[in-house]
Amino acid sequence: MKYNQFCPVSKAAEIVGERWSLLILRELLMGGRRFSELQRGLGFISPALLTTRLKQFEGHGLVVRRQIKGGRGYEYFPTPACEQLLPVIIALGEWGLCWARENVSEDFDPEMLLLYLERSIDPKNLPGNSTIIRFEFRDLDRQNLWWIVVEGHKVDVCLNDPGREVDVWFTTTLKAMSDVWMGDRTYKDARAAGDLDVQGLPALTRNISSWLTPSVFAASPRAA
């Protein structure tokens, strides 16, 4: 889209203001590298549109595309120009916390929440080389059980029981788990209200935030 205005805001909007562009940049800046990883974080975007946007970003110098070593497909890496957009993405998210959260409950999605939780796991603060974390969402009729499997530095979400002993299990609702991770509530408050139950190894349940790091917006201001 061309605005034909002599203004840096309009020129920036011509590059990053197209539909889905800011969310694609969010995924790149949050560590998404492969096409399938970007699709997973974006949900309903069509493959054709994602391909188009990535090519546009490449043409504008925001993304570098590299062949996957020993495999098919490509990986996409943000350039310094793209990385300088991170404060913009965070500022936009902080604005959304204050002024655009009225209908957020309509968009609660377990897959998106588990993706964020997967990205928030800090393996170096988990003892041993393997940890199994289970989530049971009381408000879901289907697919109410999810697992995060940590093997060394690799973290994956599983839809099926990995068949191994669980180290920590959360019983909660989508909203309660989202609120705690986002920083709207504390683990203590959610547990005291009966909205969250956490069981497992005491070494892990005493300080959950040390290995399940909070959202980047956890300390951001909220609207009164």
Side-chain angles (χ1 to χ4, degrees), residues 150-163:
V150 185
E151 295 284 357
H153 294 286
K154 185 178 180 182
V155 184
D156 289 305
V157 170
C158 294
L159 298 177
N160 299 311
D161 189 342

